[in-house]
Amino acid sequence: MKDISKYCSVFFKQLNWPYYVCVSLLVALLIYLNYWHGLERLYLDTGSWPESFIKYFLLFFTAYAVSFFLQLLFYNNLQWHKQTWFWIIIIAGPLLFSVKVNFHISNDWISRQWEYPYTVVYKYSLNWIIKVFLIFLSLFFLWYNKDRKEQPFYGSKKTQSLKPYLLIIVFLFPLIVAASSQPDFLRMYPKAKNISEIPLTTLKDYGYYILFELSYGFDFLTIEFFFRGFLILSLIKICGKEAIIPMAAFYCTIHFGKPLGEAISSYFGGLLLGIVSYNTRSVWGGLIVHLGIAWLME
């Protein structure tokens, strides 16, 4: 915990506060538009696949790229906008996550393979698993062409100790318990209620729930390696620690379909985990925290 406290202390001492306030106001505006004016529900999650893909890309790109461009108002002698790889990454990031959000296995294909209600388990599980491999293959391609001689695969470095992250989960446990009693959280969680029509009468039935939960957890590999790995460590020599806040803004927007409290906390949680991954070059601790919170909610 001392190391994490030190990382945060150094980061906030060096922080350009006017810039941070401006990005936070941008995030607050997007949250307001989403939760008070139905940005995702009424505008993004409608239309054909190409239309939805473009809309999500514009949302993610707005949060991510504008957060970077605001730095031009508050920092001197910035050079990142002159780097080709910077432009590739700030476009590739929103593009890849738009693909992830809009990828869905055909319901007709699933129905031909399995009977209801087991189709629901396979629909969710295969969607999560395939998305993980799609994102990892894309990130590996970018890492191989840009950073393979400079650093291990984004965030894959071994963490020194998991103890601080386990303590964070213990600290957050009362907050999770409190949140789990709120109506908006109960509408979203537990995720396993999506397969609640499967009876728990045989050992095989329990296996379906285990498959569902493991697949759900597997998806968090994508989140951590994408946000705390790729979006920070691929830019570490171009932007340094200034890649952290734009990542946190982008990260907040992927929670717009979730409860308001979760969306707000994701901005600050993303910032914290970003600071840690920047200093440790590892995402494993953040993955432990993320999985711990997710499965506790289950």
Side-chain angles (χ1 to χ4, degrees), residues 39-58:
L39 177 63
E40 182 176 56
R41 179 173 52 85
L42 298 177
Y43 301 101
L44 302 182
D45 245 356
T46 58
S48 62
W49 189 95
E51 185 180 350
S52 179
F53 170 80
I54 292 170
K55 289 175 180 178
Y56 272 101
F57 171 78
L58 291 175

Side-chain angles (χ1 to χ4, degrees), residues 191-206:
K191 291 287 187 180
K193 68 183 178 182
N194 290 296
I195 60 169
S196 60
E197 291 191 28
I198 296 177
L200 289 173
T201 54
T202 68
L203 189 61
K204 186 177 180 181
D205 293 332
Y206 282 93

Side-chain angles (χ1 to χ4, degrees), residues 83 146-147 150-151 232-240:
Q83 302 287 326
K146 178 182 180 294
D147 289 311
E150 303 292 331
Q151 61 176 309
I232 291 178
L233 301 181
S234 68
L235 291 172
I236 205 161
K237 288 194 172 182
I238 299 174
C239 304

Side-chain angles (χ1 to χ4, degrees), residues 223-241:
I223 303 299
E224 291 305 317
F225 276 93
F226 183 85
F227 285 95
R228 261 65 73 178
F230 170 60
L231 293 187
I232 291 178
L233 301 181
S234 68
L235 291 172
I236 205 161
K237 288 194 172 182
I238 299 174
C239 304
K241 68 180 187 305

